[in-house]
Amino acid sequence: LAKTTQPISMDSYEGQEVNITCSHNNIATNDYITWYQQFPSQGPRFIIQGYKTKVTNEVASLFIPADRKSSTLSLPRVSLSDTAVYYCLVGDMKNNQGGKLIFGQGTELSVKP
Amino acid sequence: NAGVTQTPKFRVLKTGQSMTLLCAQDMNHEYMYWYRQDPGMGLRLIHYSVGEGTTAKGEVPDGYNVSRLKKQNFLLGLESAAPSQTSVYFCASSQIGAGANVLTFGAGSRLTVL
């Protein structure tokens, strides 16, 4: 099971781009990389998922280098409402070893005016 | 669609009491999970299930039991509650295939053990 490491906390200002990097040195061939956002007193919610290179959706981009040992979540022009904890999750669900999805400690992002 | 529904939302127990948390999903998802989150901490996997009738241990399974008798339901039981089990419990589900890592979480169940 790939273990993930993220910065504990980050600070930013409104309108800036924020990049959060997750390290997963022992990622396996079949592993996907998924990012979640969690607000206080709520369950995490899915942001974006990728396997390699770059993925973009309406809220974020995910950059994955060729060796896949890390990934970077990019949030463009953050606002106060982006203040939350962000989790990187790595796991393979394609066989009976799948299902044991372990979250890392997450990154607490604080966006200031 | 309701998604993932957890009941109850809040519960206070005395040490030694037992209780069951219910998780229900209406998305026909194959996989279901129970996590706990202590104040200011990350999510820790308690138990999970890869299909009806199956369960497996996660990171912190001691003191908990689970059952998945029906595909849509995943029950988490505490046989003898302890203060260390005071936490917020989150249930999640996901489907087989490329979206299997895309977990849909419930709103959480806040449990206090006195």
Side-chain angles (χ1 to χ4, degrees), chain A residues 32-34 36 38 41-46 49 87 89-93 95 97-105, chain B residues 31 33 35 37 41-43 45 48 50 57-59 90 94-103 105-107 110:
Chain A
Y32 283 77
I33 300 157
T34 313
Y36 292 83
Q38 186 181 26
S41 301
Q42 295 184 24
R45 67 169 187 147
F46 168 82
Q49 178 179 262
Y87 293 95
L89 179 67
V90 175
D92 167 32
M93 304 294 287
N95 53 45
Q97 295 298 319
K100 195 169 185 176
L101 297 180
I102 306 296
F103 282 82
Q105 77 275 23
Chain B
Y31 302 136
Y33 314 82
Y35 291 90
Q37 187 171 40
M41 304 294 287
L43 298 152
L45 181 64
Y48 64 98
V50 297
K57 295 180 180 180
E59 300 174 274
F90 289 103
S94 66
Q95 60 186 4
I96 295 175
N101 286 357
V102 180
L103 302 177
F105 282 84
R110 186 176 297 274

Side-chain angles (χ1 to χ4, degrees), chain B residues 14-68:
Chain B
K14 293 182 179 178
T15 297
Q17 286 186 318
S18 63
M19 75 158 296
T20 300
L21 298 176
L22 171 64
C23 177
Q25 53 95 2
D26 61 2
M27 298 170 285
N28 200 37
H29 282 175
E30 200 68 30
Y31 302 136
M32 296 187 74
Y33 314 82
W34 276 107
Y35 291 90
R36 62 174 287 176
Q37 187 171 40
D38 299 334
M41 304 294 287
L43 298 152
R44 290 188 291 172
L45 181 64
I46 306 172
H47 286 280
Y48 64 98
S49 168
V50 297
E52 181 179 316
T54 73
T55 63
K57 295 180 180 180
E59 300 174 274
V60 289
D62 294 342
Y64 304 94
N65 56 75
V66 287
S67 65
R68 184 118 180 255

Side-chain angles (χ1 to χ4, degrees), chain B residues 11-15 19 21 35-41 44 46 64 78 80-89 109-114:
Chain B
R11 184 74 186 269
V12 178
L13 289 178
K14 293 182 179 178
T15 297
M19 75 158 296
L21 298 176
Y35 291 90
R36 62 174 287 176
Q37 187 171 40
D38 299 334
M41 304 294 287
R44 290 188 291 172
I46 306 172
Y64 304 94
L78 287 72
S80 180
S84 61
Q85 294 178 304
T86 293
S87 190
V88 179
Y89 292 84
S109 296
R110 186 176 297 274
L111 175 65
T112 300
V113 183
L114 302 175

